[in-house]
Amino acid sequence: MRQALPPAFDLARRMGFSFASIQDFTYPMNVSGEFTVNAPRDVVYKTLRDPNSFVRFVDGVQDLKEIDPTHYEAVFETKVAYLKFKFAVTVEVTRAEEPSEIEAKIEGTPLGIVGRLTASSVTRLADDAGGTKVSYEIDAALTGKLGSLGQPVLRAKAKEMERLFTQRMRAAFENNRT
């Protein structure tokens, strides 16, 4: 059940508008799906684990820095509804089982506003008729101003990002022959 937003008007301040009531609101969001690419599973796995390759699939990621083989930092910039957000993001690959599964933890702090993005993701790869089936599950929690935007707006943005990621992955392996 979704938690209702507390009122934004603060009676103690004579009906002045205050973001204090929505800053602690947490919005959970779950995204999952699957698609197939025309490449062997080991090639897809290596592509997803290579930060320079992976970054071209996710819209808005810039300034990616590899701290070590399991820790990364980046800037993620996106527009949600009428608001533009920029996050300082850290990624930790918590489990990697070549060539079948990658699990990661993502944390982001929006630059310029109060809030936080935390997520965990699991990507599974399976052989599928000469290609690879990519399945993914992302559990995210958004707090602060971003979390207060509401489910329909955030769900639409997540669907747009999924669509772009899938298109770019498929295009990267489009002419691959197995």
Side-chain angles (χ1 to χ4, degrees):
M1 184 164 114
R2 185 164 181 244
Q3 178 184 352
L5 282 175
F9 287 97
D10 185 350
L11 294 176
R13 295 185 185 162
R14 292 186 239 161
M15 298 298 289
F17 188 79
S18 169
F19 278 112
S21 59
I22 61 175
Q23 287 177 355
D24 294 330
F25 181 74
T26 299
Y27 174 72
M29 186 167 57
N30 307 89
V31 178
S32 63
E34 63 182 43
F35 59 94
T36 303
V37 294
N38 184 28
R41 186 168 53 149
D42 63 326
V43 172
V44 175
Y45 180 90
K46 286 179 176 124
T47 301
L48 290 173
R49 283 291 290 133
D50 175 35
N52 294 319
S53 295
F54 180 78
V55 73
R56 67 181 186 205
F57 302 130
V58 182
D59 192 42
V61 175
Q62 44 191 291
D63 300 329
L64 179 70
K65 294 179 185 92
E66 182 176 0
I67 306 306
D68 62 46
T70 60
H71 293 87
Y72 306 90
E73 292 179 347
V75 173
F76 173 66
E77 193 169 340
T78 191
K79 187 174 181 183
V80 179
Y82 56 89
L83 299 171
K84 192 173 187 178
F85 293 95
K86 193 173 193 177
F87 292 85
V89 177
T90 60
V91 177
E92 177 186 3
V93 176
T94 55
R95 191 164 52 90
E97 295 179 14
E98 189 171 351
S100 59
E101 196 165 318
I102 303 167
E103 193 170 315
K105 182 172 76 172
I106 302 101
E107 293 193 21
T109 304
L111 304 173
I113 62 166
V114 175
R116 187 151 195 81
L117 159 71
T118 57
S120 61
S121 70
V122 177
T123 303
R124 293 181 180 86
L125 308 174
D127 294 326
D128 186 51
T132 301
K133 180 172 79 170
V134 179
S135 315
Y136 57 90
E137 298 171 25
I138 301 167
D139 291 317
L142 306 163
T143 63
K145 191 174 182 181
L146 185 60
S148 72
L149 289 176
Q151 183 176 6
V153 173
L154 294 172
R155 178 115 355 240
K157 181 62 181 181
K159 286 292 178 194
E160 176 189 333
M161 290 180 70
E162 275 183 280
R163 184 183 53 76
L164 284 171
F165 182 85
T166 302
Q167 281 178 346
R168 290 173 179 174
M169 278 284 293
R170 283 184 173 146
F173 297 110
E174 189 173 272
N175 296 319
N176 193 28
R177 299 285 179 240
T178 57

